[in-house]
Amino acid sequence: MAENAEGDLNSNLLHAPYHTGDPQLDTAIGQWLRWDKNPKTKEQIENLLRNGMNKELRDRLCCRMTFGTAGLRSAMGAGFCYINDLTVIQSTQGMYKYLERCFSDFKQRGFVVGYDTRGQVTSSCSSQRLAKLTAAVLLAKDVPVYLFSRYVPTPFVPYAVQELKAVAGVMITASHNRKEDNGYKVYWETGAQITSPHDKEILKCIEECVEPWNGSWNDNLVDTSPLKRDPLQDICRRYMEDLKKICFHRELNSKTTLKFVHTSFHGVGHDYVQLAFQVFGFKPPIPVPEQKDPDPDFSTVKCPNPEEGESVLELSLRLAERENARVVLATDPDADRLAVAELQENGHWKVFTGNELAALFGWWMFDCWKKNKSRNADVKNVYMLATTVSSKILKAIALEEGFHFEETLPGFKWIGCRIKDLLENGKEVLFAFEESIGFLCGTSVLDKDGVSAAVVVAEMAAYLETLNITLKQQLTKVYEKYGYHISKTSYFLCYDPITIKSIFERIRNFDSPKEYPKFCGTFAILHIRDVTTGYDSSQPNKKSVLPVSKNSQMITFTFQNGCVATLRTSGTEPKIKYYAEMCASPEQRFPCTWGIQSTKFEEIVFHICPQSILP
């Protein structure tokens, strides 16, 4: 009898008006409980309400996700600032409203939807389910939807958008983030990720379409609607055919004795990397059996980010040693990034940084272009790109070889948009990268692509093997020719936005209001560039040449002795990242004699950041 009374009390509480003392929260609670049809996420909010957890309710329900450097990204779970069924429906409704406004032929051209293998049982949330709901919203509005029938690498979505001439596309993924996260990555008709003003306008439209429409929850439409099409086989065939454009030594590849190990980090990459190797003429790479198949828990790694280096590559390296394979290739869970390790003569493994791999890719792609160019090809028409926090090694190669180098804001969305502009103006883009192991060889895809990068590295290694040169030895040759570029990149975890903001505000008001630091330890700072505010002391008008990015924090320090260091917030993770690089001219042969080690930048980080956020 007592149990029934308690049950009735709780039932009445959940269906009565909510009086938390915060009208905004009361409204948000009511909306969530009316709109959410996922029993598990609805129950999460009901439990918080029942237990009087008003602060957590406010954190979950009184703010929304915003577009970062790779779309919407957050933890899976209940709440308007989390990734879940309801917020994906709301986001897609906003997308529909904005695309309907932008494209009169939206309902003829259609929309692409892909997904990775993430999932969370406690929220009954998976990338596949979120992709089906994304498709359902659009199918209910009579929009043709190209929904992949199985998980695909992230680069397949922007590739499909271009190939199928769709107006836009969405990839449900959180890439290399922790297992609790998921995301909603948006591509425009160009095949590049959205940038301003589209991101801001879509967010406005989402705010105007928060209540689910009739049909938005009807995921059965993906099985019954004649407007749903599966592009998997067609896009996979076209993609693999386009890979041939960046294959230069197929016969050599077919004869190489070099063996490769590949890990897909419990994600989507295995089947597609196997196919790419076949296209290039290679024998299949040896898969890491424990990591070959999808696993949303990423059971064998502490984090699913191959950028973390040897500690997360343990299974791959041990397998390579047993199989006598000299090169390990690791794609992240959505296969848009690539890590590479090579066994050295001393028995140790060299795990290349993103900047080091870019030096190799830059050399390789230009060398292949020179050897295969048409008679009327002009080097002045050739471009390579990198984000501003990445190594300047491509700039050094460009200055020596005569092609163009450009840098963009952090995030491959800026690179993709710039490449599209260059292509439309008749330019040729060979390679682009960001230091966080994101690479793009060629221009078939306008986003980073771990599948194509993996097979290009394999071809590079196989070619060098015929010359009895390792990847590491070739890297040294690149530095000797174009100048040593020694970099240091790392990060601090910080989960509190207020703390992050206070750190950067302290830098902007260091010794006195509106005064930046003049020294880092004993090293004098020559110039400051603050992309968040648009300030650049090196420019005559004191304005940054790079576009202002008010929604993210990024400050760059140029030192008297030539070191360049940047402190910025991540657009996808709760991290404060820092990057530092010393660049030498080709005649400077001994980097150890330079006047500053890049790690000295940590002095300013430790001086400014509260000790509570430091490891």
Side-chain angles (χ1 to χ4, degrees):
M1 191 69 181
E3 286 184 7
N4 288 339
E6 184 181 344
D8 291 342
L9 181 64
N10 285 333
S11 178
N12 290 336
L13 172 66
L14 295 172
H15 293 93
Y18 315 105
H19 300 291
T20 64
D22 181 341
Q24 181 190 13
L25 178 57
D26 293 343
T27 300
I29 291 169
Q31 289 174 336
W32 187 272
L33 295 179
R34 285 197 309 275
W35 296 343
D36 187 14
K37 292 186 179 181
N38 180 322
K40 294 205 172 177
T41 46
K42 188 172 185 177
E43 184 183 19
Q44 289 174 23
I45 297 301
E46 288 174 343
N47 286 337
L48 292 171
L49 179 61
R50 186 180 292 111
N51 293 316
M53 308 288 285
N54 289 355
K55 183 184 183 304
E56 185 164 350
L57 282 167
R58 194 173 294 110
D59 290 343
R60 286 173 175 260
L61 296 173
C62 292
C63 61
R64 288 194 169 275
M65 295 175 287
T66 58
F67 285 99
T69 53
L72 302 172
R73 198 173 288 185
S74 185
M76 290 179 277
F80 292 122
C81 65
Y82 281 58
I83 292 284
N84 51 64
D85 291 3
L86 179 55
T87 55
V88 163
I89 285 172
Q90 292 174 326
S91 300
T92 308
Q93 290 180 169
M95 281 286 296
Y96 171 82
K97 184 170 184 177
Y98 184 63
L99 293 171
E100 188 182 40
R101 183 194 306 168
C102 294
F103 298 99
S104 59
D105 56 354
F106 181 19
K107 293 187 178 180
Q108 287 73 52
R109 293 170 61 187
F111 191 94
V112 176
V113 182
Y115 55 92
D116 68 9
T117 56
R118 286 175 174 264
Q120 185 182 76
V121 174
T122 54
S123 299
S124 191
C125 183
S126 71
S127 294
Q128 184 177 30
R129 174 166 171 75
L130 297 177
K132 285 183 175 181
L133 287 170
T134 300
V137 171
L138 299 170
L139 291 168
K141 290 292 185 180
D142 299 322
V143 175
V145 175
Y146 298 95
L147 173 65
F148 284 96
S149 56
R150 76 191 293 257
Y151 53 81
V152 291
T154 287
F156 271 41
V157 170
Y159 181 78
V161 168
Q162 288 194 95
E163 289 291 303
L164 302 173
K165 296 181 171 53
V167 300
V170 160
M171 177 70 184
I172 306 295
T173 181
S175 190
H176 58 281
N177 276 41
R178 60 187 192 139
K179 67 179 181 180
E180 291 83 4
D181 292 351
N182 216 325
Y184 187 92
K185 196 171 187 179
V186 182
Y187 295 90
W188 201 241
E189 64 170 339
T190 57
Q193 291 179 57
I194 58 166
T195 57
S196 185
H198 300 310
D199 52 0
K200 294 179 178 62
E201 293 302 313
I202 291 169
L203 286 175
K204 286 181 188 175
C205 289
I206 292 172
E207 291 283 358
E208 295 166 7
C209 302
V210 290
E211 185 168 359
W213 300 331
N214 290 334
S216 287
W217 281 97
N218 184 13
D219 59 347
N220 289 328
L221 284 172
V222 302
D223 300 315
T224 60
S225 173
L227 292 173
K228 194 271 291 187
R229 300 156 194 175
D230 176 15
L232 179 64
Q233 289 190 358
D234 180 38
I235 290 303
C236 192
R237 177 187 57 78
R238 294 197 211 185
Y239 174 90
M240 295 301 164
E241 186 65 27
D242 270 345
L243 272 186
K244 294 176 182 178
K245 296 175 183 176
I246 52 173
C247 177
F248 301 101
H249 300 280
R250 195 175 194 279
E251 186 177 348
L252 183 153
N253 298 341
S254 67
K255 296 175 181 176
T256 187
T257 58
L258 205 58
K259 294 164 89 174
F260 302 91
V261 161
H262 169 244
T263 173
S264 53
F265 264 65
H266 299 293
V268 307
H270 171 75
D271 292 343
Y272 303 99
V273 170
Q274 293 275 319
L275 284 172
F277 266 64
Q278 185 178 321
V279 168
F280 268 54
F282 285 108
K283 295 182 180 71
I286 303 163
V288 178
E290 301 93 331
Q291 299 174 336
K292 176 174 71 73
D293 298 320
D295 173 10
D297 289 324
F298 306 112
S299 305
T300 66
V301 289
K302 65 176 183 180
C303 73
N305 184 357
E307 192 183 2
E308 294 291 330
E310 201 161 340
S311 63
V312 293
L313 296 173
E314 180 73 20
L315 286 174
S316 310
L317 303 182
R318 301 296 82 81
L319 175 63
E321 289 165 0
R322 291 194 301 273
E323 294 286 347
N324 197 29
R326 202 179 76 211
V327 178
V328 167
L329 306 166
T331 48
D332 69 340
D334 68 326
D336 68 344
R337 305 196 312 157
L338 176 75
V340 178
E342 182 184 55
L343 186 62
Q344 305 303 300
E345 284 188 4
N346 62 6
H348 295 139
W349 286 91
K350 162 67 177 174
V351 181
F352 295 91
T353 68
N355 287 329
E356 289 171 336
L357 286 173
L360 288 168
F361 275 120
W363 158 75
W364 176 254
M365 294 303 291
F366 186 72
D367 190 64
C368 291
W369 178 85
K370 279 196 301 186
K371 291 174 179 174
N372 295 276
K373 66 180 179 178
S374 60
R375 194 173 288 177
N376 60 351
D378 185 356
V379 71
K380 292 184 174 60
N381 214 37
V382 171
Y383 282 73
M384 292 192 192
L385 295 88
T387 58
T388 188
V389 295
S390 301
S391 173
K392 301 300 182 283
I393 184 62
L394 296 187
K395 181 179 181 181
I397 299 173
L399 286 171
E400 179 71 21
E401 301 292 351
F403 63 87
H404 294 275
F405 167 77
E406 289 191 6
E407 66 177 18
T408 71
L409 287 172
F412 235 90
K413 62 183 182 181
W414 301 105
I415 287 178
C417 288
R418 181 56 184 151
I419 290 176
K420 188 67 176 176
D421 291 342
L422 290 168
L423 295 178
E424 288 177 348
N425 285 283
K427 307 303 181 185
E428 187 173 4
V429 181
L430 301 183
F431 174 66
F433 88 104
E434 59 184 4
E435 56 75 36
S436 53
I437 60 173
F439 310 106
L440 174 57
C441 301
T443 54
S444 294
V445 179
L446 295 186
D447 201 2
K448 55 185 178 285
D449 183 355
V451 176
S452 61
V455 75
V456 169
V457 166
E459 182 170 76
M460 187 195 312
Y463 171 81
L464 290 171
E465 173 77 359
T466 65
L467 305 176
N468 201 28
I469 298 172
T470 66
L471 290 170
K472 186 183 179 186
Q473 288 167 345
Q474 180 58 35
L475 178 63
T476 300
K477 289 177 180 292
V478 171
Y479 285 152
E480 286 176 347
K481 181 173 182 179
Y482 301 109
Y484 277 89
H485 286 60
I486 308 301
S487 59
K488 166 77 174 179
T489 63
S490 192
Y491 62 86
F492 300 117
L493 291 171
C494 184
Y495 295 91
D496 181 18
I498 294 173
T499 299
I500 291 172
K501 186 175 181 181
S502 69
I503 289 168
F504 283 88
E505 284 306 309
R506 183 173 179 187
I507 296 174
R508 296 183 180 106
N509 303 276
F510 197 72
D511 292 319
S512 58
K514 296 185 178 180
E515 288 288 334
Y516 293 85
K518 295 180 174 60
F519 286 87
C520 168
T522 60
F523 299 100
I525 296 170
L526 182 63
H527 292 299
I528 299 277
R529 182 184 66 193
D530 189 342
V531 173
T532 308
T533 64
Y535 171 76
D536 188 340
S537 66
S538 70
Q539 297 299 314
N541 62 1
K542 306 301 180 188
K543 292 184 178 179
S544 172
V545 175
L546 285 173
V548 175
S549 183
K550 293 180 180 177
N551 293 330
S552 60
Q553 302 282 355
M554 188 172 83
I555 301 176
T556 298
F557 306 81
T558 300
F559 291 87
Q560 197 93 43
N561 59 11
C563 179
V564 177
T566 297
L567 190 68
R568 66 175 279 261
T569 50
S570 170
T572 59
E573 299 169 280
K575 292 178 178 178
I576 300 174
K577 294 186 169 184
Y578 62 93
Y579 318 75
E581 183 174 48
M582 284 290 288
C583 305
S585 58
E587 60 270 16
Q588 287 179 282
R589 299 294 301 276
F590 303 103
C592 57
T593 64
W594 299 348
I596 182 175
Q597 294 296 324
S598 61
T599 51
K600 286 289 183 180
F601 185 55
E602 292 178 4
E603 291 181 13
I604 199 166
V605 180
F606 276 83
H607 185 59
I608 292 165
C609 297
Q611 292 301 307
S612 59
I613 73 163
L614 300 180

